[in-house]
Amino acid sequence: MSQTGSEGPRLRKQTDTGSKADLPNGAPKSTKDDHPLGPPQFGALMQLLRIVGFAIYFLGSCLFIHFAQILGTPLYFLSKDDFYAYMALTKQYFGLLVTTMTQWWSPTLVRISGDKSVAGQLHQEADGSLRVHFPDRLVLIANHQIYTDWLYLWWIAYTNSTPTHGHIYIILKESLKWVPIIGPAMQLYGFVFMARRWAKDQERLRYRLQKLNSRHAGPLSGEQREAQLDPMWLLIFPEGTNLSANTRKASAKFAAKSESADLKHQILPRSTGLQFCLQETRDTVDYVYDCTIAYEGIPRGEYGQDIFSLRSVYFQGRPPKSVNMHWRRFAVKDIPIDDKDAMYEWMVARWREKDELLDKFLETGKFPASVEAVHIENGPDDAFKTPYINTEVKPRSPLEFLQMFAPVSAAVLVARIAVQLVDRLLGR
C-alpha cells in the first residue's frame, strides 16, 4: 500500500546537489519537456542507436544466461547440490549484466553512507570501487522508489567481501512469473512469486524458505564435502510496490482508516511477509539490513517513476545526478517477530525514521550519516574524514562480463567437435 500527498510542484531544472525549497501545493504539473535535469543529453539518432545497442546487449545476454541455465537443468536429477551451485553461478552472470548495463548506459554517482550500526562495514578501495562487509546470510529491506531499485541492491551484493550476487533472492509479484525468458529464468533462480493472497502465499513462501534454510554440500559434492548453509540475501520491499501518485493515495486512505499518521515520502509498509520470513529464518539469519534509497533530481512532491523512466535514464542520457543509499542493520533477536501488532509497530517506526532521512535528503542533498560507518583506503586523516563514499556502478574487470557467454559458447564448441568426430567415424 502507499501514501498520498498534494499535487506535485512544477518541475524545475536543478543545478546544485541539494534540493529546492518547497513550492506551493496545487502548483501545475510539469510538461513533458520541462524535466528537472534539463533537455536530453542525446539527440534522436543517438537515442535510436542507444536503444538498439541496449536491446542487443540486454536481450542477447539474457538469452545466453537462460540457455546456460537450461544446459544445467539435468544436474537437478543427478545432484541437487551441484544444480543449486550451478544456478548460483548463472545468477552471478545476471548480476554482472545489470552492473555493466548500468555502467554503460546509465553512469551516475553513487553515494553510500550508514549509521553506527554498520560501523566499518562500508569500504572504498584505493581504485575508488566499493566493498561492503556484510554477512553472507541476511534479510534485506528497502524503500521502493522506482523500478530500478533492485538493480542497485543486486550490485551491492556484487560488491560484498564474500560476493553474494549469485545468492540474492527477491520476492516479486506473481505476474512477473510469465514474462518471456525473464520469468522462467527467475523461477530457476528460486525467486519467490507472491499472489498477494496470504492464504496462498504463506505456504509458497514457507516452502521456499525451507529450501533456503537447508544445507548443501556445494559443487563437487562427490568429494564428501561437509554440507553447509548457502549464502542468502533475501530482498523484500515491505511497501509491496513502488512510490507513485496512485499508491500514495491508497496509503493515505489506509492511514486515515487506521487513524495513524501518513508518511510524506514513502508508502506505509506491510509487516506480515517480513515477520514470516524472520520467523522461518531466525536460526540462520542474525541481522536485518535496511537500505534507504533516494535519487537526486526528484523535486519534492514528485515521483521518481515519472522523472526517471527507462527512456530518460538509459536512452536520453538523463540518469539521476546521484543515487544515494543509506545503510542500517537490526539484530533479529531485538525484533518482536512473534507478536503481530508489535511487529507492525516496529516496521512503521523504522519507516518513519526513513521518512525523516528522506526529508533531510530533500533539504541538503545528502543523508545524515556516521563517519564510523565508512573506511576509505588512502583517505584523509581522522580530522577530515567524510561519512560518504562516492563511487560508481562498475565491474572489477572490464572483461568480466564475458563470463556470461562462456557456458553456451563452450557447449556449442563441444557440440561442433562431436559432430565432426561423428562425421569422420561414419566416413562422411
Side-chain angles (χ1 to χ4, degrees), residues 50-230:
R50 288 172 66 84
I51 291 172
V52 172
F54 182 90
I56 292 173
Y57 182 66
F58 180 74
L59 296 177
S61 298
C62 284
L63 285 172
F64 267 86
I65 294 171
H66 189 43
F67 287 154
Q69 288 180 303
I70 294 172
L71 286 173
T73 51
L75 286 173
Y76 185 84
F77 305 100
L78 300 174
S79 168
K80 287 186 173 60
D81 288 345
D82 292 334
F83 169 78
Y84 294 132
Y86 179 81
M87 286 301 152
L89 178 64
T90 64
K91 194 184 290 187
Q92 288 182 357
Y93 296 157
F94 195 83
L96 277 174
L97 171 57
V98 298
T99 297
T100 52
M101 181 182 75
T102 303
Q103 180 192 29
W104 296 345
W105 275 274
S106 180
T108 188
L109 168 70
V110 182
R111 185 179 292 115
I112 306 292
S113 62
D115 68 5
K116 293 181 180 180
S117 67
V118 292
Q121 296 185 38
L122 307 174
H123 184 98
Q124 186 170 32
E125 299 189 338
D127 64 358
S129 61
L130 176 70
R131 181 72 70 237
V132 302
H133 299 279
F134 294 170
D136 59 6
R137 288 184 64 86
L138 57 83
V139 173
L140 170 57
I141 58 175
N143 59 316
H144 205 356
Q145 294 286 293
I146 59 178
Y147 295 114
T148 55
D149 292 336
W150 61 274
L151 297 179
Y152 293 100
L153 294 168
W154 203 323
W155 166 70
I156 290 291
Y158 170 80
T159 70
N160 199 30
S161 52
T162 53
T164 45
H165 57 300
H167 297 277
I168 190 167
Y169 298 89
I170 307 176
I171 296 179
L172 304 162
K173 57 184 179 181
E174 192 172 37
S175 59
L176 296 174
K177 191 175 185 179
W178 311 113
V179 176
I181 300 177
I182 302 294
M186 291 191 295
Q187 292 181 58
L188 286 170
Y189 281 159
F191 288 178
V192 185
F193 297 91
M194 306 288 276
R196 296 184 181 177
R197 295 191 298 274
W198 185 239
K200 178 179 179 181
D201 291 337
Q202 184 175 11
E203 289 308 311
R204 181 181 299 174
L205 188 55
R206 176 180 285 113
Y207 173 79
R208 177 50 54 192
L209 292 173
Q210 287 174 350
K211 289 277 189 181
L212 295 177
N213 279 331
S214 60
R215 296 178 180 270
H216 303 286
L220 304 178
S221 54
E223 297 182 1
Q224 303 299 319
R225 295 181 60 183
E226 182 180 355
Q228 57 187 353
L229 289 168
D230 287 337

Side-chain angles (χ1 to χ4, degrees), residues 23-42:
L23 291 174
N25 290 339
K29 286 280 187 179
S30 60
T31 65
K32 185 177 292 187
D33 296 327
D34 189 11
H35 195 282
L37 299 184
Q41 181 180 346
F42 304 110

Side-chain angles (χ1 to χ4, degrees), residues 369-394:
S370 171
V371 174
E372 298 176 32
V374 307
H375 174 75
I376 299 177
E377 196 74 28
N378 300 327
D381 296 332
D382 289 349
F384 301 98
K385 277 186 176 179
T386 173
Y388 305 99
I389 291 176
N390 294 315
T391 186
E392 60 180 321
V393 176
K394 64 178 182 180

Side-chain angles (χ1 to χ4, degrees), residues 9-27:
R10 178 177 175 82
L11 297 180
R12 301 171 297 177
K13 183 175 180 179
Q14 295 179 314
T15 57
D16 60 280
T17 57
S19 63
K20 299 295 183 181
D22 294 349
L23 291 174
N25 290 339

Side-chain angles (χ1 to χ4, degrees), residues 284-324:
T284 64
V285 170
D286 294 324
Y287 291 99
V288 171
Y289 276 70
D290 169 60
C291 181
T292 304
I293 304 177
Y295 298 87
E296 185 180 354
I298 306 174
R300 187 183 289 268
E302 291 290 340
Y303 307 104
Q305 70 164 20
D306 301 325
I307 308 291
F308 300 118
S309 64
L310 179 67
R311 180 185 177 192
S312 66
V313 171
Y314 289 97
F315 308 141
Q316 293 182 337
R318 294 194 288 199
K321 289 183 178 179
S322 65
V323 178
N324 296 261

